[in-house]
């Protein structure tokens, strides 16, 4: 029986043939594609010719392409249009994929060949892109322990399995602590200040738990509005303390020992691989390069942001004093910030939304891309899609050269995960004299239009669309030889540059005038609205910056040095916070024991990258501001030096090629209003 996933796609632009693909096709297609990929790897290993760049590195790079294609289709569907059946298939497939990838990275014969080529890298006359590819391939093995003796290899595997258990337990404990707490309210008086929707949701939770009244939990959709709007200070305190005490209480869900075990195991792992610390290991593959660079970066921002933060804290304290609060505590922060913001900028979301009809914003981002990068977007209805809400476009340049296929999928529905993201159904590469162009997709969850009302976006949704479109440009304009170096395949702390850069156009009059028109009257958005958007986006920026910096410093402090002498999680944490604390410390609270980003997710030694990316985009946009936001010379340069180049060179080199110098923090501080 024919399996459409395994045949050559005879669709327009060879796009994924969604109308023919049934769920039953996936598993056999995966199994077959893994088999093909294994044969390709075996052909490399069994090649009798002396290993060279072509027969080993390039062959490895272009192996498993069928598998990649099937994986991207399947896992994109699992995010945007999943079902119980698809999730079941994912469960069955994932171990097969892990096993296959281990088969490659732990394959001694394959590594031997890669190493032989790497050893003569200087004699090979490679292009810079080829050199990067060879170095990456070699490092993939080495960073996974390929150079170690057998006993160290065994140690490494043991630590890896210990780490994955610790991470799992860390997350389970937080989840248990989150579910075990509830704030049960039976007096309507205690709900004062809360928005109706929050109260309704709390009532629903109570009903589910077969209780009277209202129940609030430590889940964000319940916790955040409670802390922002509840007038009852004692209850806010109760919630905040419960939130901060997660996995730091005297019970079996305590994460203190797990934190210590995690950082010590990570350190040991890094040492075995020959690195000074876990951060040294991680940052080798980042633009920031070393923990010292990260700390210097964070400290520089700290020095500049702190005076502003102290001033803001003072004015927030004074504001709260009028309400009878003598000493501002953590549980007052969100509440009085919101009140003060409202007093300073009386701009309601509802006033802005009519200017951001979804269709107009899409036109806007297309027009901006046209003015900057000469791109044209034509809707093509003959391309197969996985859902009726999806729209498909052929993307060309102004000389009608085919650039990419773009999918957009904007509305929430059952089976689609929350949030917004850019992804691809097919990457870009050059092979056999052909430049094989990418198929890029943007997935969001915006309000769906009704029969009487179009989809009107909040300003936050507008910047989200521009953000994801920035990633999409990085994917669509990719122009490299090797797929693993193409588009958004770049270092983690570099990947947000195109996306965050594009957000800047949402704040500029010249760009907004292209599309921000009232959906009924057609009138352009008033200038004072734009001013208010800009000003309110910098509200309490000093305090927020300080908070982000404190997390980044905590992360690098845990992972950048030998942790063997650390005894108390709380004491260690406090010592790293000493320059960033504005609020009084809460004795029985701890950040680290529930800091999932760095102890459960993949952000260890990477928390700084949020600020790092902001510095990059502000510094890059400053060049546009100096020369005009639609200056063709600058935008062409950005395209040629960054968007088309993917990960073919070190990101700092790419950036310097664009900007003429390394980024510095001033543009961000200026944009954030922190530079006096
Ligand atoms: Zn992003």
């Amino acid at each position: 029986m024919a399996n459409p996933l395994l045949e050559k796609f005879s669709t327009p632009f060879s796009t994924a043939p969604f109308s023919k693909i049934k769920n039953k096709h996936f598993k056999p297609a995966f199994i077959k594609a893994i088999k093909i990929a294994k044969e390709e790897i075996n052909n490399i290993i069994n090649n009798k010719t002396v290993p060279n760049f072509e027969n080993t590195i390039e062959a490895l790079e272009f192996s498993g392409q069928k598998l990649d294609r099937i994986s991207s289709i399947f896992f994109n569907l699992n995010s945007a249009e999943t079902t119980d059946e698809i999730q079941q298939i994912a469960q069955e497939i994932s171990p097969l994929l892990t096993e296959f990838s281990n088969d490659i990275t732990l394959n001694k014969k394959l590594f031997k060949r890669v190493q032989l080529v790497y050893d003569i890298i200087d004699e090979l006359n490679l292009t810079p892109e080829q050199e990067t590819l060879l170095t990456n391939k070699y490092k993939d093995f080495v960073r996974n322990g390929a150079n170690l003796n057998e006993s160290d290899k065994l140690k490494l595997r043991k630590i890896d399995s210990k780490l994955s258990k610790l991470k799992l337990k860390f997350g389970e404990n937080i989840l248990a602590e989150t579910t075990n707490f509830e704030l049960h309210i039976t007096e309507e008086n205690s709900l004062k200040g809360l928005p109706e929707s929050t109260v309704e949701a709390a009532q629903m939770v109570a009903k589910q738990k077969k209780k009277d009244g209202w129940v609030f939990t430590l889940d964000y959709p319940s916790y955040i509005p409670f802390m922002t709007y509840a007038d009852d200070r004692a209850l806010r305190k109760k919630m905040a303390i419960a939130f901060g005490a997660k996995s730091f209480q005297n019970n079996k869900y305590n994460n203190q020992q797990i934190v210590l075990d995690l950082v010590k195991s990570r350190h040991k792992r890094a040492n075995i691989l020959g690195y000074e610390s876990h951060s040294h290991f991680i940052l080798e593959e980042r633009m920031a390069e070393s923990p010292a660079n990260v700390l210097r970066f964070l400290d520089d921002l700290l020095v500049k942001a702190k005076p502003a933060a102290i001033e803001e804290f003072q004015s927030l304290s004074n504001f709260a004093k009028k309400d009878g609060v003598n000493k501002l505590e953590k549980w007052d922060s969100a509440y009085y910030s919101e009140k003060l913001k409202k007093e300073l900028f009386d701009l309601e979301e509802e006033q802005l939304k009519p200017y951001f009809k979804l269709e107009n914003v899409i036109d806007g981002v297309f027009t901006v891309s046209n003015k900057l990068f000469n791109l044209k977007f034509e809707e093509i209805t003959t391309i197969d899609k996985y859902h009726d809400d999806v729209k498909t476009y052929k993307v060309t340049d102004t000389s009608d050269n085919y650039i990419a296929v773009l999918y957009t999928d904007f509305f929430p529905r059952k089976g689609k995960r929350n949030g917004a993201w850019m992804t691809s159904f097919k990457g870009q590469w050059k092979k056999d004299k052909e430049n094989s162009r990418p198929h890029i997709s943007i997935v969001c969850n915006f309000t769906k239009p009704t029969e009487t009302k179009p989809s009107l976006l909040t300003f936050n949704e507008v910047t989200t669309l521009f953000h994801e479109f920035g990633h999409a440009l990085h994917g669509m304009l990719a122009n490299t030889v090797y797929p693993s170096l193409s588009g958004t395949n770049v270092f983690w702390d570099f990947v947000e540059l195109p996306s965050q850069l594009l957000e800047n156009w949402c704040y500029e009059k010249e760009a907004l005038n292209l599309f921000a028109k009232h959906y009924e009257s057609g009138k352009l958005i008033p200038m004072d609205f734009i001013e208010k958007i800009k000003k309110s986006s910098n509200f309490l920026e000093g305090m927020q910056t300080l908070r982000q910096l404190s997390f980044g410093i905590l992360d690098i402090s845990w992972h950048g040095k030998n942790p063997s002498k650390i005894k108390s999680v709380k004491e260690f944490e406090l010592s790293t916070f000493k320059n960033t604390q504005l609020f009084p410390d809460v004795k029985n609270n701890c950040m680290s024991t529930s800091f999932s980003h760095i102890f459960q997710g993949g952000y260890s030694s990477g928390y700084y990258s949020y600020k790092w990316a902001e510095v990059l985009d502000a510094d890059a946009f400053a060049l546009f501001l100096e020369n005009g936001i639609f200056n063709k010379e600058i935008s062409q340069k950005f395209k040629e030096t960054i968007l088309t180049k993917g990960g073919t060179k070190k990101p700092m080199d790419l950036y310097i090629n664009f900007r003429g110098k390394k980024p510095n923090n001033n543009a961000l501080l200026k944009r954030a209003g922190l530079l006096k």
Side-chain angles (χ1 to χ4, degrees):
M1 192 184 57
N3 188 328
L5 284 163
L6 291 167
E7 285 165 24
K8 197 170 158 30
F9 299 163
S10 55
T11 40
F13 310 101
S14 303
T15 45
F18 292 111
S19 61
K20 287 191 195 145
I21 302 171
K22 304 274 176 284
N23 283 342
K24 64 172 183 193
H25 292 132
F26 282 113
K27 200 173 171 188
F30 268 111
I31 290 170
K32 175 81 183 173
I34 288 175
K35 194 168 167 253
I36 299 171
K38 276 186 179 165
E39 280 163 14
E40 287 164 349
I41 299 288
N42 282 333
N43 287 341
I44 300 172
I45 297 167
N46 298 328
N47 193 326
K48 295 277 178 290
T49 340
V50 178
N52 61 31
F53 184 80
E54 242 178 2
N55 72 19
T56 302
I57 306 304
E58 224 168 38
L60 181 59
E61 172 73 357
F62 285 109
S63 70
Q65 281 206 302
K66 193 75 204 173
L67 180 59
D68 286 346
R69 196 74 203 277
I70 296 168
S71 292
S72 66
I73 293 172
F74 177 76
F75 288 104
N76 282 329
L77 286 182
N78 194 25
S79 296
E81 183 67 7
T82 196
T83 59
D84 289 346
E85 205 185 340
I86 289 188
Q87 283 170 26
Q88 178 59 37
I89 300 169
Q91 295 274 340
E92 291 167 32
I93 293 305
S94 295
L96 301 181
L97 292 173
T98 311
E99 194 193 304
F100 173 66
S101 99
N102 283 342
D103 277 352
I104 297 184
T105 42
L106 303 178
N107 190 314
K108 286 180 203 160
K109 285 184 191 161
L110 186 59
F111 175 59
K112 187 85 216 150
R113 287 186 70 97
V114 172
Q115 193 172 30
L116 284 169
V117 185
Y118 183 74
D119 284 345
I120 50 162
I121 188 167
D122 293 335
E123 298 157 32
L124 294 173
N125 263 327
L126 300 175
T127 66
E129 183 175 350
Q130 289 173 324
E131 238 175 73
T132 304
L133 183 73
L134 173 51
T135 310
N136 287 0
K137 292 282 181 232
Y138 175 72
K139 270 196 179 165
D140 283 349
F141 285 95
V142 172
R143 287 174 60 83
N144 213 30
N147 262 340
L148 300 178
N149 61 41
E150 289 311 310
S151 112
D152 279 347
K153 266 186 194 162
L154 198 67
K155 276 187 208 155
L156 204 65
R157 297 301 150 226
K158 273 195 183 147
I159 294 177
D160 280 342
S161 111
K162 183 178 175 189
L163 279 172
S164 64
K165 278 181 205 139
L166 286 170
K167 284 200 256 182
L168 204 65
K169 190 77 192 128
F170 184 90
E172 283 170 5
N173 285 345
I174 295 172
L175 193 64
E177 291 271 273
T178 308
T179 7
N180 288 347
F181 175 87
E182 60 171 44
L183 178 70
H184 185 199
I185 290 178
T186 48
E187 297 282 316
E188 198 160 355
N189 221 8
S190 309
L191 301 168
K192 265 201 196 142
L194 291 168
E196 220 167 284
S197 58
T198 310
V199 174
E200 271 169 30
Q203 199 170 21
M204 290 269 286
V205 179
K207 262 196 191 132
Q208 279 160 9
K209 298 192 168 200
K210 302 207 166 35
K211 285 188 170 160
D212 291 340
W214 304 267
V215 168
F216 293 89
T217 69
L218 299 180
D219 286 317
Y220 280 110
S222 181
Y223 179 73
I224 300 288
F226 194 91
M227 296 310 293
T228 312
Y229 298 107
D231 290 339
D232 192 323
R233 194 178 183 217
L235 288 179
R236 288 203 314 267
K237 178 177 177 180
K238 199 172 172 188
M239 282 288 266
I241 289 184
F243 193 88
K246 273 186 292 178
S247 296
F248 190 61
Q249 307 188 74
N250 205 358
N251 62 23
K252 63 173 173 174
Y253 305 117
N254 193 307
N255 271 340
Q256 286 176 88
Q257 193 54 46
I258 295 185
V259 167
L260 294 174
D261 286 351
L262 267 169
V263 292
K264 286 172 188 173
S265 300
R266 281 172 173 167
H267 185 74
K268 204 165 148 197
R269 187 181 191 279
N271 284 168
I272 292 175
L273 285 167
Y275 296 85
E276 201 179 317
S277 74
H278 179 66
S279 295
H280 287 86
F281 171 74
I282 295 288
L283 293 168
E284 184 188 56
E285 300 285 281
R286 300 285 157 87
M287 191 176 179
E289 288 182 338
S290 73
N293 282 348
V294 172
L295 281 176
R296 201 174 310 126
F297 165 76
L298 295 172
D299 278 343
D300 182 50
L301 284 175
L302 178 63
V303 169
K304 307 235 170 76
K306 201 169 173 181
I310 291 171
E311 219 170 273
E312 289 163 7
F313 185 77
Q314 203 47 55
S315 65
L316 196 62
S317 297
N318 294 341
F319 180 72
K321 249 188 202 123
K322 288 189 262 172
D323 206 26
V325 172
N326 281 326
K327 192 173 168 200
L328 204 64
E329 301 274 1
K330 277 182 183 157
W331 42 90
D332 300 316
S333 177
Y335 181 78
Y336 287 107
S337 298
E338 179 63 27
K339 293 257 179 306
L340 181 58
K341 187 173 179 182
K342 201 150 188 191
E343 194 177 284
L344 294 175
F345 319 98
D346 63 331
L347 188 63
E348 297 284 336
E349 199 70 86
E350 294 305 315
Q351 290 172 274
L352 289 174
K353 278 164 77 173
Y355 295 95
F356 298 118
K357 188 170 103 168
L358 176 62
E359 288 76 6
N360 291 347
V361 181
I362 295 169
D363 274 348
V365 81
F366 284 173
T367 310
V368 167
S369 307
N370 179 269
K371 287 173 83 85
L372 293 172
F373 308 115
N374 298 328
L375 294 178
K376 293 190 299 180
F377 301 83
E378 179 197 350
E379 189 174 354
I380 304 276
T381 51
T382 53
I383 294 176
D384 256 18
K385 29 192 175 184
Y386 55 89
H387 191 278
D388 280 344
D389 281 354
V390 177
K391 282 191 160 73
T392 47
Y393 300 86
K394 178 188 180 186
V395 187
T396 52
D397 63 16
T398 23
S399 330
D400 284 328
N401 296 308
Y402 164 54
I403 300 291
V405 169
L406 175 70
Y407 297 79
T408 62
D409 178 359
F410 286 139
F411 306 120
R413 58 176 174 265
K414 194 172 171 282
K416 184 168 174 180
R417 97 174 135 81
N418 290 331
W421 62 95
M422 164 272 187
T423 181
S424 71
F425 283 101
K426 180 195 164 297
Q428 176 273 333
W429 59 81
K430 292 178 195 168
K431 202 183 168 198
D432 306 329
K433 297 209 170 72
E434 190 211 351
N435 188 341
S436 182
R437 300 304 307 166
H439 303 162
I440 302 297
S441 175
I442 301 179
V443 191
C444 304
N445 280 285
F446 298 146
T447 316
K448 202 171 174 161
T450 63
E451 268 174 36
T452 51
K453 214 168 183 194
S455 170
L456 301 176
L457 304 188
T458 64
F459 186 70
N460 193 20
E461 288 174 325
V462 175
T463 55
T464 299
L465 180 54
F466 272 70
H467 179 102
E468 298 310 330
F469 209 84
H471 284 307
L473 288 168
H474 205 179
M476 292 189 290
L477 289 167
N479 200 17
T480 65
V481 180
Y482 302 113
S484 73
L485 302 178
S486 173
T488 52
N489 288 315
V490 297
F491 283 171
W492 188 345
D493 51 2
F494 190 60
V495 75
E496 296 297 332
L497 169 60
S499 53
Q500 294 191 176
L501 179 71
L502 210 69
E503 285 184 45
N504 287 287
W505 274 261
C506 301
Y507 297 86
E508 295 302 318
K509 184 171 186 282
E510 204 184 337
L512 285 167
N513 281 350
L514 296 169
F515 67 93
K517 299 184 181 102
H518 196 285
Y519 80 103
E520 285 171 330
S521 69
K523 280 204 180 107
L524 276 178
I525 189 164
M527 199 48 218
D528 64 315
F529 279 19
I530 301 174
E531 281 306 317
K532 274 187 186 168
I533 294 171
K534 272 194 180 176
K535 278 199 187 126
S536 69
S537 74
N538 282 342
F539 177 63
L540 298 186
E541 187 67 33
M543 282 173 69
Q544 278 172 33
T545 302
L546 214 61
R547 192 178 136 86
Q548 286 292 101
L549 294 176
S550 75
F551 297 159
I553 293 169
L554 178 64
D555 172 26
I556 289 290
S557 303
W558 274 122
H559 295 112
K561 273 194 220 118
N562 185 345
S564 64
K565 294 218 171 68
I566 303 172
K567 293 280 177 301
S568 154
V569 173
K570 173 76 179 181
E571 267 174 40
F572 181 75
E573 176 174 302
L574 271 182
S575 72
T576 76
F577 281 167
K578 65 178 187 295
N579 288 325
T580 52
Q581 275 301 61
L582 293 170
F583 291 91
D585 180 55
V586 182
K587 205 172 88 230
N588 44 1
N589 277 189
C590 183
M591 166 81 198
S592 301
T593 52
S594 63
F595 199 174
S596 310
H597 263 79
I598 64 165
F599 291 122
Q600 185 192 357
Y603 265 82
S604 63
S605 308
Y607 202 89
Y608 74 92
S609 20
Y610 288 111
K611 275 286 157 217
W612 184 272
E614 280 181 44
V615 163
L616 287 184
D617 93 74
D619 188 69
F621 192 62
L623 191 62
F624 283 97
L625 284 177
E626 282 160 27
N627 297 282
I629 62 165
F630 289 115
N631 183 303
K632 264 272 158 58
E633 212 179 303
I634 310 284
S635 59
Q636 278 304 312
K637 201 168 176 196
F638 189 73
K639 177 180 152 186
E640 291 312 322
T641 53
I642 296 194
L643 292 175
T644 58
K645 290 287 187 290
T648 53
K649 279 189 192 162
K650 291 216 152 152
M652 189 60 90
D653 295 341
L654 295 180
Y655 191 81
I656 291 171
N657 286 346
F658 165 64
R659 196 62 172 92
K661 58 185 174 71
K662 284 188 173 182
N664 78 48
N665 298 343
N666 284 348
L668 172 67
L669 293 163
K670 199 172 154 200
R671 184 174 74 187
L674 296 174
L675 208 62
K676 294 277 152 65

